[in-house]
Amino acid sequence: MSVHRPPGRIAVLGPHIVDVLGRPVGEIPPGQGGILLDEIRMTVAGTGGGVAVDLAKLGRRVSVFGAVGDDALGGFLHSRLRSYGVDTAGLVAKTGVVTSSTILPIRANGERPSMHVLGATGLLRVADIDRAALHSAEALFLGGPETMPALLEPDGLELIRGFRAGGRPVFADCLYGGDPETLTRLTGLLPLLDWFLPNDDQLRALTGIHDLPTAARRLIELGAGAVAVTMGGDGTLLVRPDHADVVVPAYATTVVDTTGCGDSFDAGLVTGLLAGCAPEDAARLGNACGSLVATGLGSDAGIVDLDGVVAVIETADPESASRIRELVPPADDLHRMREEVAATCREVAARGVAVGGAGNISLRVGDQVLITRSGLRLEAATASDISVVTLDGDLVRGARPSSETGLHLGIYRRSGTGAVVHTHGMSSVAVGLVADELPRVHYNILRLGGRVPTVAHHVFGSAELARATGDAVAAGARAVLLRNHGSVSCGTTLDDAVENAELTEWLCDVYLSAARLGSPALLTPDDLEAVAGQATRLGYGER
């Protein structure tokens, strides 16, 4: 069993581009004609931004460096990258310059002609880069160095040489197709690279050599440490000094759009190599990332987290997946905590607390909240089904979170609650229909704060529902009935929240059972105060 060390930060230096994509586009209408599309998206892209997003999804801590414009698109890049947990302090805004951007009409077969605005990318200067921040990283990924001329000049090469002098690896990929003249400009950089990661078309264009192994060995002759060549559906070619060439097969996928597949491969390969995987297994991670990204529109599609990527490998090659899991560390304690939330979901479903597997569960971890994804049936929950959001609701990791995320965040922002369970239990729904608060039928209501109020009906997922529930919890309630909806229970820990959810439903059961027999005898506030005093004297409930 491997002992995982916490993964360090990766510096990504390269083009940060806004992609606007639409699909499917059969043809561009002539004149002022129009067509209807199924989907239009705007994403973070480029061999800087796209790789950074995928690394963050795989659980790596990432800092980005590059140039953007001082326009709305530059603001979009900052905001979207931060939503993935990426540190954007190294993105400099060039005054009076537009952000690099691309329009991509995606054909039905996934092909992607492009229309590009060069923008700010090529204006990056070595003086723009915070050396201390760059050198604090564990590894450096250079995306599209051919697009940033300053990096290929003596000062830029010295910056990279200084980084590598600390024994830290440097990886690079190209953004454009290239030609032999581009290779000439890259000659000073190649000896500083541990891995160069072009695709097959780029490699052939750079070297003028059609045979891929021969072309890759030409780059090694020029100083590159090793070369990984992505070949689309034909997999990845690995070429290293003193090793036989290896082709790692691609994984079957349904292609919607190939935008960003190369970026995702880079993220997977780098993640694997830094974790100590053999290059073949690292390439498997990269290929699996690419197969997932191809299934959706845009460079940020497909990948949810590392678990989902390894699951692709496991389907075809369980032995390789097992090796990778042994070496590739979870991002940090968040992985373990996501597993814990998922296990709680399955337990809640098994114990019958969640009717029909519906409901949502969350856990606060510092300034972040782990919450079940949208549309999840609790009995089927895995770690990859647990999204991570900020207290402001920005998605950090995982799939689109529950529609009731606002409800949970409203509680966390108004109280010291550590975990929340929301279910649609039959008895709690029934009591909420007829009572303004849960009748005090048993002294165990003290464990729920002594009072379980009913909040008025508001549409699920609404700010009004979040505000009303947050107010009730802030006033001391540990459980709240939601009229025509269900219940919410809170606790310091997940176990506390689940126990309070079960207790809420049990108290509702007791009340409804008694009401069928007659008029239930209810405890008064004085009765509850006496019970609380007795419990204190006797140490009731203490272990």
Side-chain angles (χ1 to χ4, degrees), residues 55 87 123 152 169 209 231 263 268 289 368 395 403 409 455 476 522:
L55 283 168
D87 173 15
L123 301 180
L152 302 180
I209 300 171
M231 304 181 296
D263 299 338
C289 287
Q368 295 181 331
L395 181 66
S403 59
L409 297 181
V455 301
L522 304 181

Side-chain angles (χ1 to χ4, degrees), residues 126-280:
V126 173
D128 295 328
I129 301 170
D130 184 333
R131 288 175 179 262
L134 184 75
H135 285 201
S136 69
E138 173 190 19
L140 172 62
F141 180 87
L142 297 171
E146 76 280 8
T147 68
M148 299 171 290
L151 290 183
L152 302 180
E153 295 173 358
D155 285 353
L157 295 175
E158 184 57 37
L159 176 72
I160 298 165
R161 187 176 295 109
F163 181 93
R164 195 164 184 259
R168 292 162 296 190
V170 179
F171 308 85
D173 194 358
C174 291
L175 178 63
Y176 299 129
D179 51 35
E181 182 180 341
T182 301
L183 180 59
T184 299
R185 290 193 287 118
L186 293 174
T187 300
L189 176 65
L190 288 173
L192 304 179
L193 301 181
D194 293 271
W195 282 86
F196 190 44
L197 314 173
N199 65 35
D200 47 1
D201 290 337
Q202 289 169 334
L203 180 60
R204 287 178 173 130
L206 286 170
T207 62
I209 300 171
H210 183 78
D211 181 68
L212 291 177
T214 303
R217 293 207 172 270
R218 174 60 182 148
L219 297 184
I220 290 174
E221 291 171 2
L222 292 173
V227 180
V229 188
T230 52
M231 304 181 296
D234 293 327
T236 298
L237 170 67
L238 300 179
V239 178
R240 294 160 287 170
D242 304 320
H243 287 76
D245 300 341
V246 175
V247 173
V248 179
Y251 297 101
T253 191
T254 301
V255 176
V256 171
D257 170 26
T258 57
T259 304
C261 289
D263 299 338
S264 66
F265 170 84
D266 294 342
L269 181 85
V270 169
T271 296
L273 289 174
L274 291 180
C277 290
E280 292 82 359

Side-chain angles (χ1 to χ4, degrees), residues 80 86 256 293 310 378 442:
R80 194 70 181 128
V86 174
V256 171
V293 169
V310 178
L378 297 185
H442 195 280

Side-chain angles (χ1 to χ4, degrees), residues 18-99:
V18 174
D19 275 0
V20 179
L21 312 97
R23 62 171 289 271
V25 178
E27 61 179 356
I28 304 297
Q32 298 187 55
I35 56 174
L36 294 177
L37 303 180
D38 293 342
E39 189 177 6
I40 295 176
R41 294 193 66 222
M42 186 162 76
T43 67
V44 177
T47 41
V51 172
V53 168
D54 290 333
L55 283 168
K57 287 186 174 185
L58 295 177
R60 297 306 309 235
R61 295 185 295 134
V62 183
S63 295
V64 291
F65 301 82
V68 299
D70 61 347
D71 54 2
L73 293 183
F76 168 80
L77 286 174
H78 273 280
S79 174
R80 194 70 181 128
L81 283 163
R82 285 197 296 264
S83 76
Y84 288 106
V86 174
D87 173 15
T88 64
L91 283 187
V92 296
K94 295 294 183 176
T95 304
V97 181
V98 299
T99 297

Side-chain angles (χ1 to χ4, degrees), residues 522-538:
L522 304 181
L523 297 170
T524 67
D526 288 342
D527 293 331
L528 292 180
E529 186 176 349
V531 170
Q534 180 76 336
T536 300
R537 286 189 294 274
L538 298 179

Side-chain angles (χ1 to χ4, degrees), residues 474-520:
R478 294 176 198 157
V480 180
L481 303 183
L482 312 180
R483 182 150 289 160
N484 303 99
H485 189 159
S487 67
V488 169
S489 302
C490 308
T492 305
T493 65
L494 282 170
D495 286 344
D496 289 341
V498 171
E499 287 181 9
N500 289 342
E502 288 185 308
L503 177 57
T504 300
E505 194 68 15
W506 180 79
L507 289 170
C508 289
D509 285 342
V510 170
Y511 171 72
L512 293 175
S513 296
R516 283 193 290 268
L517 301 174
S519 180

